[in-house]
Amino acid sequence: MTVHSLYLFDRNGICLHYSEWNRKKQAGISKEEEFKLMYGMLFSIRSFVSKMSPLDMKEGFLSFQTSKYKLHYYETPTGLKVVMNTDLGVGNIRDVLHQIYSYIYVEYVVKNPLCNLNEPIQSELFRSKLDTFVRSLPFFSARAG
Amino acid sequence: MARQGSRGGAESKKMSSELFTLTYGALVTQLCKDYENDEDVNKQLDKMGYNIGVRLIEDFLARSNVGRCHDFRETADVIAKVAFKMYLGITPSITNWSPAGDEFSLILENNPLVDFVELPDNHSSLIYSNLLCGVLRGALEMVQMAVDVKFVQDTLKGDGVTEIRMKFIRRIEDNLPAGEE
């Protein structure tokens, strides 16, 4: 099992943070374009899912998968979006995405008054905590699965 | 390492509210010195509160795991029973619902911000705890609710209780960022 990449978007669609670990294939477009493409798709999926659902739903869009990877999605009521791509072997990781929000983003960005919200995160501390956290996940290692 | 963060000790980290109360008092005192009139002090307190609320909501959501509220009554409950409890250690009561359900009051028996305060006569228009209004407004704005918040009764001004009036204005819709298909 493995983690490919992680995106954090704010409620306005700004990509606050991007990291990648095991990403063998790049998009072939600039990162800015990739972020816009990703956010646009997420935005559309959200509205698609809520319009197509035959019942009222609580959580909305959770994840999708292709033949090669799985995209996990978590959105807070404030509109922060945590998006993680992993391989197909990874199950439901909502709690992990929530932990990234509450233990890493809130602790090292929101509680750092020098970090402006709504713009890409510059904090080195945040980056290193996030990296350590993701590397410590049981499904991070390509061999662990 | 993974779960480090300071969250684990959240319960044990509780401190006496006196430090907070006194710090807040010092802030108000300083603002009263810096500004000529109380209206400006009220405005500054509201603005600071707003800036706090915008960040505090994230801490609140991360800690409480409360999801999105589906109506204003649910919002009122969460504010009074969860948020006030968590940050100020009190549980205000919710009363005076408007018939349309878009307005209610929070009644604070004791306001922790004013524990040691006596309002001098020359500050009759100062809304001492106006920071709270800003906090509530800022926090709710981040969960897409535009709300009007104001004090309508204050024990500091001789009222029997402290009453914060909350009025729902509208839902803030999220938009696709400009310049995208």
Side-chain angles (χ1 to χ4, degrees):
Chain A
M1 293 203 262
T2 188
V3 174
H4 301 304
S5 56
L6 180 107
Y7 302 80
L8 281 185
F9 289 99
D10 79 352
R11 63 199 295 206
N12 303 314
I14 293 166
C15 186
L16 300 178
H17 180 77
Y18 170 75
S19 355
E20 65 185 38
W21 291 274
N22 289 305
R23 182 172 177 178
K24 295 215 176 71
K25 181 179 164 298
Q26 294 296 331
I29 49 177
S30 75
K31 276 282 170 284
E32 285 66 38
E33 280 180 272
E34 181 185 313
F35 297 154
K36 278 189 189 172
L37 197 59
M38 175 62 100
Y39 188 81
M41 181 205 60
L42 295 170
F43 194 90
S44 307
I45 290 185
R46 274 173 77 228
S47 87
F48 176 84
V49 165
S50 72
K51 290 193 178 90
M52 289 302 137
S53 172
L55 298 169
D56 266 348
M57 31 172 209
K58 263 197 106 167
E59 308 279 15
F61 166 48
L62 301 175
S63 66
F64 73 70
Q65 64 182 60
T66 71
S67 59
K68 291 290 178 200
Y69 76 101
K70 183 170 178 185
L71 180 144
H72 308 260
Y73 178 81
Y74 174 76
E75 182 177 339
T76 71
T78 49
L80 186 91
K81 296 158 185 75
V82 187
V83 180
M84 186 185 264
N85 289 314
T86 67
D87 71 345
L88 296 173
V90 178
N92 183 341
I93 52 166
R94 276 191 91 57
D95 54 332
V96 169
L97 300 187
H98 180 77
Q99 281 165 11
I100 290 175
Y101 167 64
S102 64
Y103 296 136
I104 319 264
Y105 176 74
V106 171
E107 289 298 317
Y108 300 106
V109 177
V110 176
K111 293 191 183 175
N112 178 354
L114 297 180
C115 273
N116 288 326
L117 307 177
N118 310 319
E119 61 180 53
I121 299 163
Q122 305 290 338
S123 162
E124 266 314 307
L125 183 63
F126 166 80
R127 285 162 191 271
S128 73
K129 293 284 179 186
L130 180 65
D131 186 65
T132 315
F133 178 84
V134 172
R135 285 179 191 279
S136 75
L137 292 170
F139 50 83
F140 178 79
S141 155
R143 274 165 297 167
Chain B
M1 157 61 221
R3 308 218 171 173
Q4 204 188 35
S6 52
R7 195 54 42 77
E11 287 310 305
S12 58
K13 247 176 35 183
K14 275 194 183 141
M15 56 164 194
S16 140
S17 64
E18 283 181 18
L19 178 63
F20 172 57
T21 305
L22 293 170
T23 308
Y24 185 70
L27 172 75
V28 178
T29 309
Q30 188 61 43
L31 287 174
C32 287
K33 279 184 198 150
D34 290 352
Y35 292 92
E36 298 278 303
N37 67 62
D38 294 347
E39 283 309 316
D40 290 341
V41 176
N42 294 341
K43 217 177 280 170
Q44 280 305 315
L45 287 172
D46 182 81
K47 210 197 251 172
M48 288 176 177
Y50 177 85
N51 290 331
I52 295 172
V54 162
R55 289 187 184 243
L56 199 63
I57 183 69
E58 303 282 5
D59 180 67
F60 175 74
L61 292 170
R63 276 211 241 177
S64 62
N65 227 337
V66 168
R68 205 177 274 277
C69 290
H70 294 284
D71 60 40
F72 205 40
R73 288 182 185 269
E74 204 181 327
T75 309
D77 268 350
V78 172
I79 291 170
K81 293 182 186 140
V82 191
F84 266 83
K85 180 99 201 120
M86 187 183 289
Y87 294 109
L88 293 175
I90 55 169
T91 309
S93 48
I94 303 164
T95 58
N96 298 336
W97 277 101
S98 64
D102 64 344
E103 252 184 273
F104 68 91
S105 290
L106 291 168
I107 305 287
L108 287 68
E109 301 284 329
N110 47 350
N111 175 357
L113 289 184
V114 302
D115 277 350
F116 313 104
V117 182
E118 256 180 87
L119 222 46
D121 294 337
N122 57 344
H123 283 296
S124 54
S125 55
L126 175 69
I127 309 166
Y128 186 85
S129 314
N130 209 34
L131 187 98
L132 287 182
C133 294
V135 172
L136 287 163
R137 191 166 58 83
L140 289 174
E141 191 175 303
M142 299 312 285
V143 288
Q144 271 105 327
M145 270 185 260
V147 177
D148 184 54
V149 188
K150 58 175 184 282
F151 278 90
V152 290
Q153 287 196 76
D154 194 339
T155 46
L156 281 183
K157 297 185 174 164
D159 297 313
V161 289
T162 298
E163 174 178 355
I164 301 175
R165 190 78 181 148
M166 311 260 303
K167 181 178 168 44
F168 178 83
I169 304 170
R170 65 188 169 86
R171 220 174 162 84
I172 304 165
E173 297 298 332
D174 38 319
N175 302 311
L176 200 57
E180 282 184 53
E181 293 303 304

